[in-house]
Amino acid sequence: WNIKPYSTSYQLLTTGLIDRGDPEYPEPRWGMEWKPTAKPMRSAYAESEHGEPDFTNYARIRENEPFIDTLDYIFLSDEWKVVDVKK
């Protein structure tokens, strides 16, 4: 998924929630309020002592400023324990 670690999408994936004040919080439709039902996922790097990497993607096109950010994650099920990650 091409999401950044400080984005609303990342928050939803890793906590299962979005703050009601967030601009991306879904508006009620057809008289129904949105309620998240997905179980949060665990990021291997976020659970390590290092946290998410500074970047996993470096892209530059011609003379434009490069895009440097984290877009790649390793998500784990509950059975896995993070011992270490490559820094």
Side-chain angles (χ1 to χ4, degrees), residues 5 14 20 35 52-53 56 61 63 69-70 73 75 78 87:
T14 57
R20 284 190 176 274
K35 293 180 185 174
E52 296 292 6
T56 61
I61 300 174
E63 299 302 318
D69 217 326
T70 300
Y73 307 91
F75 288 110
D78 290 336
K87 185 67 180 161

Side-chain angles (χ1 to χ4, degrees), residues 2 7 10 20-22 25 28 33 38 41-43 49 52 63 70 73-74:
N2 288 334
S7 71
Y10 179 88
R20 284 190 176 274
D22 191 298
Y25 190 87
E33 185 75 27
M41 293 194 279
R42 298 169 42 233
S43 165
E49 64 184 50
E52 296 292 6
E63 299 302 318
T70 300
Y73 307 91
I74 301 170

Side-chain angles (χ1 to χ4, degrees), residues 1 4 8 28-30 35-36 41-42 44 53 55 59 66-67 71-72 81 84 87:
W1 298 309
K4 299 173 185 176
T8 300
R29 293 186 183 211
W30 304 290
K35 293 180 185 174
M41 293 194 279
R42 298 169 42 233
F55 67 96
F67 173 85
L71 295 178
D72 305 295
K81 178 181 177 194
D84 198 10
K87 185 67 180 161

Side-chain angles (χ1 to χ4, degrees), residues 25-62:
Y25 190 87
E27 293 184 24
R29 293 186 183 211
W30 304 290
M32 297 175 64
E33 185 75 27
W34 177 76
K35 293 180 185 174
T37 57
K39 185 176 179 183
M41 293 194 279
R42 298 169 42 233
S43 165
Y45 275 84
E47 290 198 3
S48 77
E49 64 184 50
H50 304 294
E52 296 292 6
D54 293 334
F55 67 96
T56 61
N57 189 292
Y58 180 100
R60 185 172 193 154
I61 300 174
R62 295 187 180 95

